[in-house]
């Protein structure tokens, strides 16, 4: 189960993601990222309350980053919990994503 | 749309001779296993974390080969890690290749020809009946590697399966691959399944080398 809430802070559209980004939630996560990317020039995904990310969840984030790249939207992933950080590090996602310790705004 | 398994087998077909390039070798066999797992992941039947595979839906994929693998996985709840499942399905690799070839023939993409070498040895060939699907796979692989853009999920999976079994050498020149090696490694590392497939290949390679050294 995943919950996504949105707000705008200093020009960034911030998506706060809570719960587990697994196969059940991947479509919801990708759709939320894509919708924000379609409408805003700067999008940040706040993962501080994301407890778990599976391969399907990672693919959703990667495809969000792909959509941002195609639209020339600034996209950042922020505040990863230790569990999620470990998965991101293992996958080498820092090569294709901007990963911040804190929100960029 | 072709399955990942069919795309990997199609990539292994020599477009001039119709022979299968090294698909009997263990590295390509592992790649076929990885392709099946990617097909199941794309069909949202399984999901993986850093070590384990989870079945999330036992319903039919609409593909008999994938359904057989999924049913087998569901019957073995004792096997949990990605690695143990790669090893388990590796034992059934010939079925996977045969099923993919049959499907590609049925779809009119390959032909099946049998002949005799020196009037004795049976030789099977699978010439392309339609060049376009193989060309499409090659173009997608080239684009994913040569471009700096983030590829589609399917193309990331394809690169990460084609690399460990050496099939990228049939798509791009050695120099192009060397130049883009960091990019290829980056794409391969993104997926748990391909990381585990690569580990399995390296370990088996190490075991074979040790065995060969002992024999010498």
């Amino acid at each position: 189960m995943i919950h996504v809430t949105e707000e705008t802070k200093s020009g960034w559209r911030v998506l706060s993601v809570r719960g587990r980004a697994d196969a059940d939630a991947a479509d919801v996560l990708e759709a939320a990222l894509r919708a924000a990317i379609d409408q805003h020039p700067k999008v940040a995904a706040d993962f501080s309350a994301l407890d778990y990310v599976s391969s399907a969840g990672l693919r959703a984030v990667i495809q969000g980053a792909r959509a941002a790249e195609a639209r020339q939207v600034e996209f950042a992933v922020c505040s990863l919990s230790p569990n999620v950080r470990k998965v991101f590090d293992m996958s080498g996602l820092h090569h294709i994503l901007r990963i911040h310790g804190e929100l960029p705004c | 749309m072709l399955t990942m398994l069919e795309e990997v087998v199609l990539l292994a077909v020599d477009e001039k001779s119709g022979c299968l390039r090294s698909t009997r070798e263990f590295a390509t066999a592992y790649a076929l296993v990885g392709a099946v797992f990617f097909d199941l992941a794309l069909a949202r039947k399984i999901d993986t974390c850093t070590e384990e595979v989870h079945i999330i839906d036992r319903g039919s994929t609409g593909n008999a080969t994938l359904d057989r693998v999924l049913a087998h996985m569901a019957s073995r709840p004792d096997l949990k890690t990605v690695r143990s499942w790669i090893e388990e399905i590796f034992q059934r690799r010939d079925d996977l290749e045969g099923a993919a070839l049959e499907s590609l023939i049925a779809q009119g993409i390959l032909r099946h020809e049998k002949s005799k070498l020196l009037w004795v040895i049976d030789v099977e060939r699978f010439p392309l009946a339609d060049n376009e699907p193989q060309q499409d796979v090659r173009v997608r692989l080239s684009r994913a590697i040569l471009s700096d853009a983030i590829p589609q999920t399917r193309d990331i999976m394809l690169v990460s399966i084609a690399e460990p079994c050496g099939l990228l050498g049939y798509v791009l020149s050695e120099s192009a691959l060397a130049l883009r090696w960091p990019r290829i490694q980056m794409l391969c590392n993104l997926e748990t399944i391909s990381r585990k497939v690569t580990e399995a290949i390296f370990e088996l390679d190490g075991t074979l080398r040790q065995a060969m050294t002992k024999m010498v």
Side-chain angles (χ1 to χ4, degrees), chain B residues 100-129:
Chain B
L101 284 167
E102 267 179 36
S103 172
L104 289 166
I105 293 163
Q107 291 176 69
I109 296 167
L110 298 180
R111 291 197 316 270
H112 186 197
E113 289 179 2
K114 280 184 181 174
S115 57
K116 294 271 186 198
L117 181 67
L118 301 174
W119 302 280
V120 180
I121 305 162
D122 286 325
V123 178
E124 280 190 294
R125 291 179 210 278
F126 302 90
L128 295 171

Side-chain angles (χ1 to χ4, degrees), chain A residues 15-83:
Chain A
L15 277 69
S16 299
V17 184
R18 189 158 49 88
R20 292 168 60 86
D22 54 17
D24 289 335
D27 286 344
V28 174
L29 177 59
E30 187 175 335
L33 292 173
R34 283 181 183 275
I37 286 159
D38 280 348
Q39 293 168 36
H40 301 277
K42 291 179 174 183
V43 174
D46 178 359
F47 285 163
S48 56
L50 187 67
D51 303 322
Y52 170 83
V53 64
S54 72
S55 296
L58 275 186
R59 285 182 209 121
V61 177
I62 293 170
Q63 291 311 302
R66 182 169 182 266
E69 188 181 71
R71 284 188 157 264
Q72 295 184 310
V73 166
E74 214 170 324
F75 177 63
V77 170
C78 330
S79 312
L80 307 183
S81 63
N83 281 349

